[in-house]
Amino acid sequence: QVQLVESGGGLVQAGGSLRLSCAASGRIFSINDMGWYRQAPGKQRELVAAITSGGTTNYADSVKGRFTISRDNAKNTLYLQMNSLKPEDTAVYYCNADVRRSMSSSTAYNYWGLGTQVTVSS
């Protein structure tokens, strides 16, 4: 009922920047918390950054000061601005969202995108 599609990944050199986008579509009344996760080969998926519907943000220590999460509620879109990229940022980045699907029910459902690859060369 809800689809999340990430875009903006690619190959960059260390020190470069990328901007990821996540577009949500489908049956959406409103979106509560949203976040970016990443998973590198051989590692567990980890939370990179999260943002509430009101704009409160939270970042992993490893990206604090370099990444900025934001959202456009009118467009149901999530962003991740990544600056000063490091090789250790290389991973598949996934969008996640808690979605309220109707006015009549406050229940929120969790959705994942399929991911976008970010590769940072040294």
Side-chain angles (χ1 to χ4, degrees):
Q1 297 207 328
V2 174
Q3 298 81 43
L4 303 178
V5 180
E6 303 97 336
S7 61
L11 174 65
V12 297
Q13 291 186 317
S17 298
L18 284 174
R19 183 175 175 85
L20 305 183
S21 298
C22 170
S25 61
R27 189 185 178 195
I28 300 170
F29 176 76
S30 63
I31 303 177
N32 297 330
D33 295 348
M34 303 185 79
W36 288 99
Y37 293 73
R38 67 186 181 188
Q39 187 166 24
K43 298 185 66 178
Q44 291 185 241
R45 188 171 298 188
E46 64 175 350
L47 177 66
V48 177
I51 185 168
T52 69
S53 60
T56 300
T57 59
N58 184 54
Y59 297 92
D61 288 341
S62 60
V63 307
K64 200 168 296 182
R66 299 187 297 121
F67 292 9
T68 302
I69 189 170
S70 61
R71 61 193 288 171
D72 186 333
N73 291 330
K75 297 181 178 179
N76 288 330
T77 301
L78 178 72
Y79 304 97
L80 185 67
Q81 179 66 47
M82 304 185 294
N83 298 326
S84 301
L85 283 161
K86 304 174 180 179
E88 49 262 46
D89 295 318
T90 295
V92 176
Y93 284 70
Y94 298 91
C95 177
N96 180 263
D98 289 325
V99 180
R100 182 177 172 180
R101 305 198 295 210
S102 72
M103 182 171 60
S104 60
S105 176
S106 62
T107 301
Y109 298 85
N110 189 251
Y111 294 91
W112 289 93
L114 295 180
T116 184
Q117 177 71 47
V118 171
T119 302
V120 184
S121 62
S122 60

